[in-house]
Amino acid sequence: MEWVSSMDYMVLYSSKTGNTKKIATEIFSALPGMSKDMQSMEEYRGKDADIFFIGFWVNRGTCEMSVIDAMSELHGKKIALFGTCGMGSDAEYYRSIEQKVNVWIPDDCEYLGIFLCQGKMPMQIRGNYEIPREDSRQEACRRRLLHNFDEALFHPNDTDLANAREFVQCVLEKCKNT
């Protein structure tokens, strides 16, 4: 009988604009050893690992279907999530994203936490925010969205990358203690 061992780590991600791939690359480089791999959702064909870091871009407060499908097929694994979103670093918004995404992790898996950071958005989105509004509340909201869009142009930045590396260290510490 042939013995096949799984690798220690798999970094699996979905990236539409390159933001999440940038974080995935940082997470991959922060993982110790040589028993690791990084693949996009499109490349992934079920390669096994002990610990999965699963990344996604946020669309309307959650992840896309390919991420849900990949997570749903994992059993008995340790899973850490990471993602990028255009909206600023709002802790309440980030908690709502986490709640909407981690429900897709099977019950027999161990959830290790989430890392989220802001990411730049496609320029055509800015056009939606440039049209002035008549209503003062809508106009105030439009200005906040425009300001957020402009802030997002600089993300993920060096601080976000450092925070992703720190997240990896926290996940590895959790794994040592379980």
Side-chain angles (χ1 to χ4, degrees), residues 161-173:
L161 298 178
N163 290 340
R165 288 190 303 274
E166 186 177 308
F167 172 68
V168 169
Q169 295 313 309
C170 290
V171 166
L172 296 178
E173 277 300 312

Side-chain angles (χ1 to χ4, degrees), residues 19-39:
N19 296 327
T20 309
K21 183 178 182 178
K22 188 173 184 179
I23 298 298
T25 302
E26 196 67 25
I27 286 172
F28 179 80
S29 70
L31 291 168
M34 301 297 289
S35 183
K36 58 185 179 178
D37 197 1
M38 181 175 93
Q39 294 181 348

Side-chain angles (χ1 to χ4, degrees), residues 113-127:
I114 192 169
F115 169 76
L116 293 167
C117 71
Q118 194 170 24
K120 60 185 160 287
M121 296 175 269
M123 287 307 289
Q124 66 264 27
I125 289 175
R126 193 176 198 287

Side-chain angles (χ1 to χ4, degrees), residues 24-57:
T25 302
E26 196 67 25
I27 286 172
F28 179 80
S29 70
L31 291 168
M34 301 297 289
S35 183
K36 58 185 179 178
D37 197 1
M38 181 175 93
Q39 294 181 348
S40 70
M41 288 293 167
E42 295 81 26
E43 298 170 311
Y44 183 64
R45 298 290 178 262
K47 201 169 191 180
D48 197 20
D50 299 317
I51 302 171
F52 283 78
F53 286 82
I54 300 177
F56 57 93
W57 53 280

Side-chain angles (χ1 to χ4, degrees), residues 52-119:
F52 283 78
F53 286 82
I54 300 177
F56 57 93
W57 53 280
V58 175
N59 184 22
R60 298 183 179 169
T62 191
C63 61
E64 66 174 313
M65 209 54 211
S66 68
V67 175
I68 293 169
D69 289 344
M71 280 192 296
S72 299
E73 293 176 12
L74 297 175
H75 292 282
K77 303 300 176 185
K78 295 180 180 191
I79 299 174
L81 301 174
F82 65 96
T84 58
C85 65
M87 299 312 291
S89 58
D90 177 330
E92 188 175 316
Y93 180 56
Y94 283 1
R95 272 192 299 281
S96 76
I97 295 166
E98 179 179 22
Q99 290 170 348
K100 291 174 186 168
V101 175
N102 75 6
V103 299
W104 300 106
I105 298 172
D107 291 340
D108 64 342
C109 290
E110 181 182 347
Y111 175 57
L112 300 170
I114 192 169
F115 169 76
L116 293 167
C117 71
Q118 194 170 24

